[in-house]
Amino acid sequence: MSMSPSILSVLSEDLLVRVYEFLDPPCRKTWRLISKDFLRVDSLSRTTIRILRVEFLPTLLFKYPNLSSLDLSVCPKLDDDVVLRLALDGTVSTLGIKSLNLSRSTAVRARGLETLARMCHALERVDVSHCWGFGDREAAALSSAAGLRELKMDKCLSLSDVGLARIVVGCSNLNKISLKWCMEISDLGIDLLCKICKGLKSLDVSYLKITNDSIRSIALLPKLEVLDMVSCPLIDDAGLQFLENGSPSLQEVDVTRCERVSLSGLISIVRGHPDIQLLKASHCVSEVSGSFLQYIKCLKHLKTIWIDGAHVSDSSLVSLSSSCRSLMEIGLSRCVDVTDIGMMGLARNCLNLKTLNLACCGFVTDVAISAVAQSCRNLETLKLESCHLITEKGLQSLGCYSKLLQELDLTDCYGVNDRGLEYISKCSNLQRLKLGLCTNISDKGIFHIGSKCSKLLELDLYRCAGFGDDGLAALSRGCKSLNRLILSYCCELTDTGVEQIRQLEHLSHLELRGLKNITGVGLAAIACGCKKLGYLDLKLCENIDDSGFWALAYFSKNLRQINLCNCSVSDTALCMLMSNLSRVQDVDLVHLSRVTVEGFEFALRACCNRLKKLKLLAPLRFLLSSELLETLHARGCRIRWD
C-alpha cells in the first residue's frame, strides 16, 4: 500500500515560507528533520547563520545561498588559511553577505580580512571587536570594503591613527563606528574621521585618551545622533561646551565616569539639545542642583537618565520626575540621599517607567517599592541590590501589581525570605532573577520560584547557603528554559541535587565554584544532559575526580570557556579535555596540583590552534617550551600569568 502524499506538497513555495515564518526555532528544527519541503524552504529563506565548526563553513554557505548575515565569532579554528581556501572554492557564493561578525577571531589577520572584503561585495556591517592583534595592516585590508556602513572595533589594541585613517578614507560612507578601548587612537584620528565621514550617526570613543579637541571635531558632525564617551579622562566641561552649538541631531549622550565632567558640562549639552532622549552621567556629577533641574525641565522627550552616584535630594527627584514625565528608565544606584518621599514622587509622575535602578540606596524601604509597583504598571526591570530595608511587604506589592516584570535584582538584600520569594513567584513573566547573598532563603522559597516562574532564563543564587538539593530539584523540574545558572558557594548542594541539572537542556552558562560536596558523578550527569553548555566554572571543586572530566570531554562538545583552577584533574584527563573540547577558546588552569609540566605541555599542544585566552601560573612561563608559547601567540592567544 503506497503512502499518501504530504499535504505540504500541494502548497506553493510562497505559502510554505509564510507558514515557516510563524514557527519558533525549535519547531523549525523539527519540521526540517521530517519534511523535505520545509528543508528546502529553510535553505532558501534563511538569511542569518552562526558557524560553530570551521570545517562545515563551505558546505553551509553552499546550502544557504541567500545568507545576508554570517557570524564566525565562535568558530575557534578560523584563520587566514581557512579564508583563503574558502575563496578558492568555486561552489561557494558570498556575494549577498551584508553583515560579518569576526569578534574574537584573533587568528584572522590582514590576508584573511582582505580576502573576505573582496569576496563579500555587499558588505555593510563588520564586527572585529576583541581582536587584540587587529592593527594598521588589518585596517588597511578592511578598508577595501568601500560599502561599509557599520564597524565595531572595540579593544583592537594595536589600531592607531594610521589604520583608522585608512579605514575612513576607504569607507567614507560609515554611519556607525565603535572605537571603545582602542587606546592608540588620538585626537588626530578622530579629527580625520569627523572630516571625512560626515554621515556618522553613532560614535563610541569610550575609554580613549582623547582631549577636548576631539569633541570640537565631533561637534561638526551634522547627523550625529548617538555619542558614547564613557571614562574619557581628559574630557572636561570646556569640551562639552562645543556640543552645545554643534551636532544638531544629537539624541543620546553617555559621559559616565568622565571624572572631569561636572554639572556645567551637562548643562551645556542639555541647553543645546532640548530634544535629547537619553542622558547618562553616572559617577561624574556630585549632585543634582537647582540650576541643572531648570534646564532639565525643557527636555520633554527625555526617556532615559542615569545619575548614579550623585547626591539627589527628595525634592530634586520629585522636580526631575514632574518635568520629565516621559521617562522610561532612570538610574539612581548609589544615590544615598534618595528616600521613600522622592521615590513616591517619581512613581506618581512617571507612570510609563520600565527600568529602575536603586542599587545601594540604603534608605529606600517597602513604602517606595509599593508605590512604584502600584503606579508603574509597565515596569520590566527593577534593581535593588543591597537595599537592606526591603522585606516581604515590598515584594508582596511587586507580586500583585508588576505583572510585566522581567528582571529583578535582589542581590545582598537581607530582608528577602521564603515568603518574599512566594510573592515574587507571582510575577509570571520573570526572566532574570538575582538572589546572590540572600542568606534567609531556603528550599521552601526556591520551590515557589521553580513551580511558578516557568519563563525564567537566568538565576543567580551565589552564596545562598540556606538552600540545598530539594530546592535545586524543584528549579530543574519547573524552570526548563534556564540558560544561565549561578550556584557558586551554595555549600549544601551535593551530587543528588546537581544531578538534577541535567534536565535543563537549554543551559549554556553554569557556575559551580566552591562546591566541595560534588564529585565526578554529579559532573558526569550535567555533561550528559546539558549538551548546550558553553561556559562552566568549576574553580575550587576539589572532589571531582577524573571520571567527571572524562564525561565532560565526551559529551560537552559546545564548551567554549572553562575554569578548572584548584581542581583535582590529572595529566591524562586534562589532555583528554583539551583535545576533545573542539570549541574551547578560554581556559583557566591555575593551581592544578596533579598536573605536571609535561601534562600542561601536551594539553596545550592539543588545543593551541583554537585558544584565545589562557590563564596559567607565572612559573610555567619558564618551564613550557618556547615553541609552544610562540605558537599560542601567533594564533592570537592572550596568556595571563598569575
XYZ file of all heavy atoms in Angstrom, residues 211-258:
362
model
N 41.198 64.390 23.863
C 41.013 65.645 24.585
C 39.812 66.410 24.028
O 39.082 65.918 23.154
C 42.269 66.518 24.470
O 42.402 66.972 23.108
C 43.524 65.734 24.846
N 39.666 67.637 24.513
C 38.558 68.476 24.048
C 38.644 68.778 22.559
O 37.632 69.107 21.924
C 38.543 69.789 24.837
C 38.213 69.565 26.305
O 37.601 68.562 26.663
N 38.622 70.500 27.153
N 39.831 68.666 21.985
C 39.975 68.893 20.544
C 39.132 67.900 19.747
O 38.575 68.249 18.689
C 41.447 68.775 20.134
C 42.288 69.934 20.658
O 41.709 70.993 20.945
O 43.509 69.760 20.790
N 39.055 66.670 20.241
C 38.218 65.670 19.563
C 36.749 66.041 19.644
O 35.989 65.858 18.682
C 38.442 64.287 20.177
O 39.682 63.743 19.795
N 36.324 66.578 20.787
C 34.919 66.966 20.934
C 34.598 68.130 19.990
O 33.500 68.202 19.419
C 34.613 67.359 22.394
C 35.056 66.235 23.346
C 33.126 67.635 22.564
C 34.440 64.898 23.054
N 35.563 69.025 19.775
C 35.370 70.119 18.814
C 35.121 69.547 17.418
O 34.235 70.020 16.688
C 36.603 71.024 18.796
C 36.436 72.195 17.817
C 37.753 72.935 17.571
N 38.137 73.741 18.718
C 39.200 73.504 19.483
N 39.990 72.452 19.203
N 39.501 74.287 20.492
N 35.878 68.497 17.069
C 35.689 67.866 15.753
C 34.355 67.129 15.682
O 33.641 67.205 14.667
C 36.837 66.892 15.475
O 38.087 67.536 15.509
N 34.016 66.424 16.745
C 32.765 65.655 16.781
C 31.556 66.584 16.659
O 30.552 66.237 16.031
C 32.694 64.825 18.084
C 33.752 63.703 18.053
C 31.305 64.238 18.286
C 33.925 62.981 19.370
N 31.665 67.764 17.258
C 30.545 68.714 17.229
C 30.208 69.172 15.818
O 29.118 69.714 15.574
C 30.873 69.918 18.106
N 31.105 68.957 14.862
C 30.871 69.367 13.479
C 30.104 68.326 12.673
O 29.804 68.551 11.493
C 32.211 69.661 12.792
C 33.037 70.808 13.411
C 34.375 70.933 12.699
C 32.268 72.121 13.353
N 29.805 67.165 13.288
C 29.063 66.115 12.579
C 27.580 66.474 12.543
O 26.904 66.472 13.579
C 29.267 64.764 13.281
C 30.684 64.186 13.200
C 30.814 62.978 14.127
C 31.034 63.797 11.773
N 27.016 66.750 11.384
C 25.635 67.256 11.309
C 24.561 66.211 11.581
O 23.450 66.556 11.986
C 25.532 67.775 9.869
C 26.524 66.949 9.103
C 27.650 66.685 10.057
N 24.895 64.926 11.370
C 23.877 63.884 11.502
C 24.058 63.016 12.743
O 23.318 62.053 12.945
C 23.889 62.989 10.255
C 23.549 63.729 8.961
C 23.543 62.786 7.775
C 23.197 63.521 6.486
N 23.192 62.591 5.319
N 25.042 63.336 13.598
C 25.328 62.500 14.766
C 24.130 62.455 15.715
O 23.625 63.495 16.146
C 26.553 63.031 15.508
C 27.092 62.120 16.614
C 27.671 60.836 16.019
C 28.154 62.838 17.450
N 23.693 61.230 16.042
C 22.561 61.032 16.944
C 22.976 60.416 18.275
O 22.375 60.713 19.310
C 21.512 60.136 16.266
C 20.920 60.723 14.996
C 19.971 59.766 14.316
O 19.807 58.623 14.823
O 19.385 60.140 13.276
N 24.000 59.532 18.247
C 24.421 58.810 19.451
C 25.905 59.034 19.682
O 26.725 58.766 18.792
C 24.136 57.290 19.315
C 24.588 56.556 20.572
C 22.653 57.048 19.056
N 26.263 59.510 20.880
C 27.661 59.737 21.237
C 27.952 59.112 22.593
O 27.394 59.507 23.614
C 27.970 61.239 21.286
C 29.381 61.634 21.743
C 30.431 61.014 20.833
C 29.524 63.143 21.789
N 28.827 58.098 22.596
C 29.244 57.428 23.831
C 30.702 57.766 24.104
O 31.567 57.542 23.249
C 29.084 55.907 23.704
C 27.630 55.493 23.607
O 26.801 56.096 24.296
O 27.327 54.569 22.821
N 30.975 58.294 25.293
C 32.354 58.589 25.682
C 32.552 58.286 27.167
O 32.934 59.143 27.960
C 32.723 60.036 25.342
C 31.660 61.058 25.590
S 32.166 62.663 24.925
C 30.698 63.637 25.284
N 32.294 57.040 27.512
C 32.450 56.563 28.886
C 33.925 56.593 29.289
O 34.800 56.167 28.530
C 31.894 55.126 29.015
C 32.114 54.582 30.421
C 30.423 55.091 28.644
N 34.193 57.087 30.481
C 35.542 57.065 31.073
C 36.604 57.659 30.153
O 37.668 57.072 29.966
C 35.931 55.631 31.460
O 35.161 55.184 32.540
N 36.308 58.815 29.589
C 37.323 59.565 28.836
C 37.952 60.560 29.816
O 37.359 61.615 30.096
C 36.702 60.289 27.646
S 36.153 59.177 26.338
N 39.139 60.258 30.347
C 39.676 61.017 31.481
C 40.116 62.437 31.166
O 40.293 63.246 32.087
C 40.866 60.162 31.933
C 41.298 59.420 30.708
C 40.039 59.162 29.939
N 40.312 62.778 29.885
C 40.845 64.086 29.531
C 39.772 65.058 29.040
O 40.070 66.219 28.747
C 41.941 63.939 28.466
C 43.123 63.025 28.846
C 44.141 62.978 27.719
C 43.778 63.491 30.140
N 38.535 64.591 28.955
C 37.440 65.451 28.501
C 36.830 66.168 29.700
O 36.565 65.554 30.734
C 36.380 64.627 27.750
C 36.954 64.111 26.432
C 35.126 65.456 27.493
C 36.027 63.200 25.673
N 36.592 67.473 29.561
C 36.014 68.236 30.662
C 34.860 69.111 30.161
O 34.408 68.985 29.016
C 37.083 69.078 31.366
C 37.799 70.030 30.413
O 37.203 70.376 29.371
O 38.950 70.416 30.706
N 34.408 70.016 31.010
C 33.251 70.852 30.686
C 33.493 71.730 29.464
O 32.580 71.984 28.666
C 32.902 71.733 31.889
C 32.438 70.911 33.081
O 32.001 69.767 32.867
O 32.504 71.413 34.218
N 34.739 72.189 29.311
C 35.060 73.027 28.146
C 34.840 72.268 26.841
O 34.394 72.838 25.837
C 36.505 73.510 28.243
N 35.143 70.980 26.869
C 34.912 70.164 25.679
C 33.435 70.000 25.383
O 32.999 70.086 24.218
N 32.638 69.772 26.417
C 31.204 69.573 26.215
C 30.518 70.851 25.734
O 29.443 70.780 25.127
C 30.558 69.074 27.512
C 31.022 67.698 28.011
C 30.176 67.237 29.184
C 30.985 66.650 26.904
N 31.135 72.000 25.991
C 30.552 73.247 25.505
C 30.531 73.302 23.974
O 29.678 73.975 23.386
C 31.340 74.434 26.068
C 31.068 74.685 27.549
C 31.899 75.820 28.108
O 32.633 76.490 27.369
N 31.789 76.048 29.409
N 31.456 72.589 23.336
C 31.443 72.541 21.867
C 30.170 71.875 21.351
O 29.695 72.184 20.252
C 32.666 71.783 21.348
C 33.968 72.495 21.568
C 34.972 71.913 22.310
C 34.184 73.750 21.034
C 36.179 72.559 22.519
C 35.385 74.425 21.228
C 36.392 73.823 21.980
N 29.628 70.940 22.152
C 28.430 70.220 21.727
C 27.177 71.071 21.841
O 26.153 70.756 21.233
C 28.254 68.943 22.567
C 29.294 67.844 22.361
C 29.057 66.699 23.342
C 29.260 67.316 20.934
N 27.262 72.139 22.643
C 26.064 72.969 22.849
C 25.544 73.532 21.531
O 24.333 73.545 21.272
C 26.382 74.100 23.824
C 25.180 74.984 24.111
C 25.467 76.041 25.162
O 26.546 75.970 25.804
O 24.616 76.926 25.345
N 26.447 73.991 20.699
C 26.050 74.588 19.421
C 26.388 73.699 18.230
O 26.356 74.150 17.083
C 26.730 75.945 19.250
C 26.333 76.925 20.337
O 25.153 77.069 20.642
N 27.316 77.586 20.933
N 26.743 72.448 18.499
C 27.103 71.529 17.428
C 26.252 70.284 17.433
O 25.386 70.102 18.294
N 26.494 69.399 16.457
C 25.758 68.125 16.349
C 24.263 68.330 16.575
O 23.699 67.853 17.568
C 26.319 67.107 17.347
O 27.675 66.837 17.084
N 23.586 69.020 15.674
C 22.178 69.376 15.885
C 21.225 68.191 15.981
O 20.117 68.337 16.501
C 21.851 70.235 14.651
C 22.852 69.810 13.612
C 24.096 69.503 14.370
N 21.638 67.009 15.517
C 20.746 65.841 15.529
C 20.926 64.972 16.778
O 20.288 63.927 16.906
C 20.997 64.987 14.282
O 20.812 65.737 13.097
N 21.796 65.404 17.699
C 22.155 64.583 18.851
C 20.934 64.228 19.702
O 20.162 65.100 20.110
C 23.180 65.322 19.714
C 24.037 64.477 20.651
C 24.842 63.444 19.880
C 24.969 65.366 21.473
N 20.785 62.913 19.978
C 19.664 62.424 20.784
C 20.113 61.632 22.008
O 19.380 61.554 22.995
C 18.750 61.537 19.928
C 18.076 62.263 18.787
C 17.153 61.347 18.007
O 16.794 60.263 18.454
N 16.779 61.794 16.808
N 21.323 61.041 21.955
C 21.787 60.210 23.070
C 23.238 60.546 23.388
O 24.084 60.562 22.490
C 21.654 58.724 22.727
C 20.233 58.283 22.402
C 20.140 56.793 22.105
O 21.142 56.081 22.306
O 19.057 56.358 21.656
N 23.535 60.781 24.683
C 24.888 61.093 25.132
C 25.188 60.298 26.396
O 24.369 60.243 27.320
C 25.060 62.598 25.433
C 26.468 62.873 25.956
C 24.798 63.431 24.193
N 26.379 59.686 26.435
C 26.814 58.934 27.613
C 28.190 59.446 28.043
O 29.180 59.267 27.328
C 26.885 57.437 27.300
C 27.141 56.587 28.543
O 27.443 57.159 29.613
O 27.040 55.351 28.458
N 28.250 60.120 29.193
C 29.516 60.614 29.737
C 29.809 59.950 31.091
O 30.487 60.519 31.947
C 29.508 62.149 29.885
C 29.503 62.817 28.531
C 28.313 62.619 30.720
N 29.309 58.748 31.276
C 29.515 58.013 32.522
C 31.005 57.926 32.869
O 31.835 57.622 32.012
C 28.934 56.590 32.388
O 27.519 56.690 32.203
C 29.220 55.754 33.624
N 31.315 58.226 34.132
C 32.676 58.126 34.693
C 33.698 59.021 33.982
O 34.889 58.722 34.008
C 33.153 56.668 34.707
C 32.308 55.766 35.602
C 32.918 54.397 35.772
N 32.044 53.520 36.547
C 31.952 53.499 37.873
N 32.715 54.318 38.589
N 31.140 52.673 38.501
N 33.245 60.081 33.354
C 34.179 61.105 32.863
C 34.483 62.019 34.044
O 33.701 62.925 34.369
C 33.570 61.885 31.700
S 33.425 60.933 30.182
